[in-house]
């Protein structure tokens, strides 16, 4: 990740949902019980020996803490069922509010992982980025309309959420995280075009990366979907690692980001990982390692979190592609 | 102002998402004596042009959202006139759209619904978290020829197959064309569950609905 020589390519899949299924723990329990979540992630560490382990991906935890209502459904990630108005989010209280509801579950999970693991494995906290936290709290359609009809309010909410994210990442640093990964699926190019990204979000991402570094954390940024039009801007986010989804061609992306950030990714979790053969998974992962591993600055990972139904053998073959 | 100028203003207002200028231009056109279907054609052109811009990533989801609001506002003006019109609007077909059970992400479904409507389809929006049986019931209730389902989560996409399986069980599968879409959905998945087509985004859904319509057949596979 720091463009230093390694004896092999690091491998760090987003194991969360798969780990929870592997442990036989109901997904909704892992989102509410740090002991259950940490146990599941530790089981996955034992099973696969990754170079990093990340907390469970839950894009409703921060919005719920901010005041939106989340619904727990058996075997599924929680979903936001009642949104806030933009005005309800337009308050200085977010820095404290974001540390409430289920968010402490994830901070405590980090703490438990740190207690159980030595420093040879990187512990990463996944948190909603400011854009995704705002959009999920008020509803993505409300967010999109606000972006066009009340740009000043949209900018102000992003500033407030940036302060809240900073407050949260500091807690994760105190709990023992080595890295924080901002999840920004809403920054995918079809939703947030490059002009809006550059004007509104990029300064905030830079601010958060700086805050992460000040807290001693590695700064990581994950964007779902196709973000090719925005790659050169995302490279300026000052994140140490840019985690990209399967639609992005990583060798091409490496030329665009030109050493400003390490790249992480990006095996397909929609079809390949959960539904193809172990050999197909292995071959694709090996090909990616071959294409990317000549200059460092690459972490083999998945394009997003591995779905719970993914066969264990497929994940094992994915890991083997880097660990051989 | 003449009809040509007002038509251009209507299309500009829709593409710009102007909720005041759009319906005002639609009203002005009707006042100039044009048929309501002339106005709906202009609205369709504007939305189709916006869809192409979206697929080129010249515009983005927020632009589509405000455009759909302007479209809806203009359609409200026109719909009253359409009801009084002798010719009426020739609709291409009837589509029911919905987000499958367990999933409440409506953005893609809402865009698909408006763009299908703009293209001349009759659309019945079942909303979100729609139970498997409701899709089948609604298809019958609204005499639909197409069922369009959306899912944003891998945990709920299996409900699409359940809907298709229910139609098969009820011996009604061949009556409907089934379209699927959403972030985790792929053409391969659509093929595996026996859907007639997969659409990547809202403009693609309109193109797919038209292809299925042109194929002249009901459900059971795109030709």
């Amino acid at each position: 990740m720091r463009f230093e020589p390694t004896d092999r390519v690091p491998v760090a899949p987003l194991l969360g949902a798969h780990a929870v299924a592997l442990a036989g723990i109901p997904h909704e329990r892992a989102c509410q019980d740090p002991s259950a979540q940490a146990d599941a992630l530790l089981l996955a560490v034992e099973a696969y020996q990754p170079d990093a382990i990340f907390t469970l991906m839950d894009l409703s935890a921060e919005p719920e803490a901010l005041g939106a209502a989340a619904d727990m459904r058996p075997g599924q990630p929680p979903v936001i069922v009642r949104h806030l108005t933009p005005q309800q989010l337009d308050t200085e209280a977010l820095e404290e509010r974001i540390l409430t509801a289920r968010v402490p579950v994830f901070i405590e999970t980090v703490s438990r992982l740190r207690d159980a693991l030595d420093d040879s494995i990187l512990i990463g906290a996944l948190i909603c980025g400011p854009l995704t936290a705002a959009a999920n709290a008020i509803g993505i359609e409300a967010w999109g309309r606000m972006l066009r009809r009340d740009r000043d309010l949209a900018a102000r909410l992003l500033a407030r959420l940036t302060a809240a994210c900073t407050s949260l990442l500091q807690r994760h640093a105190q709990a023992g995280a080595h890295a924080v990964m901002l999840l920004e699926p809403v920054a995918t190019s079809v939703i947030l075009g490059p002009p809006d990204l550059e004007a509104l979000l990029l300064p905030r991402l830079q601010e958060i990366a700086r805050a992460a570094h000040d807290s001693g954390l590695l700064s990581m940024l994950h964007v779902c979907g196709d973000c090719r039009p925005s790659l050169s801007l995302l490279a300026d986010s000052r994140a140490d690692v840019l985690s990209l989804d399967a639609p992005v061609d990583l060798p091409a992306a490496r030329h665009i980001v030109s050493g400003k950030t390490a790249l992480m990714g990006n095996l397909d979790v929609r079809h390949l990982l959960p539904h193809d053969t172990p050999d197909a998974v292995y071959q694709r992962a090996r090909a990616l390692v071959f294409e990317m591993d000549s200059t460092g600055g690459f972490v083999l990972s998945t394009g997003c979190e591995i779905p719970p139904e993914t066969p264990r053998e497929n994940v094992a073959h994915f890991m083997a592609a880097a660990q051989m | 102002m003449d009809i040509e100028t007002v038509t251009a203003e209507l299309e500009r207002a829709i593409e710009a998402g102007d909720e005041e200028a759009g319906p005002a231009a639609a009203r002005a056109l009707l006042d100039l004596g044009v048929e309501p279907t002339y106005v709906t054609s202009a609205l369709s052109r504007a939305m189709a042009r916006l869809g192409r811009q979206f697929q080129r990533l010249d515009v983005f989801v927020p632009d589509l959202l405000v455009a759909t609001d302007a479209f809806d506002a203009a359609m409200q003006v026109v719909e009253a006139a359409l009801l009084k019109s002798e010719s009426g609007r020739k609709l291409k077909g009837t589509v029911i759209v919905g987000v499958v059970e367990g999933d409440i992400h409506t953005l893609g479904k809402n865009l698909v619904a408006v763009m299908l409507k703009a293209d001349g389809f009759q659309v019945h929006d079942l909303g979100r978290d729609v139970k498997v049986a409701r899709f089948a019931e609604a298809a019958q209730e609204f005499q639909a020829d197409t069922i369009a389902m959306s899912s944003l989560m891998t945990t709920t996409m299996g409900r699409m197959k359940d809907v298709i399986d229910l139609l098969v069980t009820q011996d009604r599968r061949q009556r409907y064309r089934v379209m699927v879409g959403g972030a985790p959905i792929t053409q391969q998945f659509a093929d595996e569950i026996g859907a007639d087509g997969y659409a990547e985004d809202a403009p693609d859904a309109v193109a797919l609905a038209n292809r299925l319509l042109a194929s002249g057949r009901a459900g059971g596979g795109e030709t």
Side-chain angles (χ1 to χ4, degrees), chain B residues 202-216:
Chain B
D204 197 27
V206 174
L208 173 61
N210 280 299
R211 280 203 310 278
L212 292 172
L213 186 70
S215 72

Side-chain angles (χ1 to χ4, degrees), chain B residues 86-97:
Chain B
E86 286 183 6
S87 59
R89 188 186 188 199
K90 286 178 186 161
L91 294 166
K92 289 180 170 177
T94 301
V95 186
I96 59 166
V97 300

Side-chain angles (χ1 to χ4, degrees), chain A residues 151-188:
Chain A
R151 202 171 173 82
D152 288 345
L153 179 56
R156 196 161 65 243
L157 292 189
L158 279 180
R160 295 197 185 287
L161 265 303
T162 297
C165 286
T166 299
S167 165
L168 177 54
L169 71 83
Q170 287 166 347
R171 295 300 176 100
H172 277 297
Q174 289 163 8
H178 300 108
V180 65
M181 182 185 281
L182 286 191
L183 304 173
E184 284 290 20
V186 180
T188 190

Side-chain angles (χ1 to χ4, degrees), chain A residues 313-324:
Chain A
E313 199 180 359
N314 284 16
V315 181
H317 276 67
F318 166 80
M319 298 300 298
Q323 291 169 335
M324 67 175 293

Side-chain angles (χ1 to χ4, degrees), chain B residues 6-194:
Chain B
V6 181
T7 304
E9 167 58 11
L10 172 63
E11 294 185 27
R12 182 212 63 78
I14 298 303
E15 290 179 60
D18 190 329
E19 281 184 281
E20 292 179 6
R27 167 57 57 202
L29 280 173
L30 294 173
D31 290 346
L32 285 168
V34 305
E35 284 291 321
T37 50
Y38 175 89
V39 183
T40 57
S41 294
L43 292 173
S44 296
R45 273 198 306 277
M47 290 302 286
R49 195 156 49 237
L50 201 65
R52 289 193 293 275
Q53 291 170 353
F54 175 69
Q55 291 192 307
R56 291 196 304 266
L57 287 180
D58 291 336
V59 300
F60 306 95
V61 164
D63 303 297
L64 289 191
L65 286 168
V66 294
T68 61
D69 292 343
F71 169 84
D72 277 339
M75 274 302 286
Q76 279 185 21
V77 171
V78 186
E79 271 166 358
L82 277 170
L83 288 172
K84 294 178 196 163
S85 163
E86 286 183 6
S87 59
R89 188 186 188 199
K90 286 178 186 161
L91 294 166
K92 289 180 170 177
T94 301
V95 186
I96 59 166
V97 300
V99 179
V100 297
E101 186 175 0
D103 197 333
I104 60 163
H105 299 92
T106 54
L107 172 61
K109 181 269 298 176
N110 289 348
L111 292 175
V112 166
V114 174
M115 296 200 81
L116 282 171
K117 193 174 170 187
D119 198 58
F121 288 88
Q122 174 93 32
V123 176
H124 293 280
D125 188 345
L126 305 182
R128 64 188 195 181
D129 198 9
V130 179
K131 294 195 181 308
V132 170
R134 179 62 190 143
F135 276 105
E137 287 167 10
Q140 196 157 30
E141 179 184 339
F142 296 116
Q143 297 182 308
D145 37 57
T146 303
I147 298 172
M149 294 183 279
S150 168
S151 170
L152 197 77
M153 303 197 299
T154 56
T155 48
T156 56
M157 57 199 270
R159 299 291 81 74
M160 294 173 166
K161 182 175 188 305
D162 294 343
V163 172
I164 293 171
D165 288 348
L166 178 62
L167 293 172
V168 170
T169 304
Q170 294 176 341
D171 201 22
R172 294 198 290 136
R173 173 66 184 91
Q174 296 301 318
R175 290 189 203 174
Y176 311 110
R177 307 173 189 104
V178 178
M179 299 165 43
V180 294
I185 310 301
T186 60
Q187 181 64 55
Q188 188 165 355
F189 175 77
D191 294 340
E192 283 169 6
I193 66 171

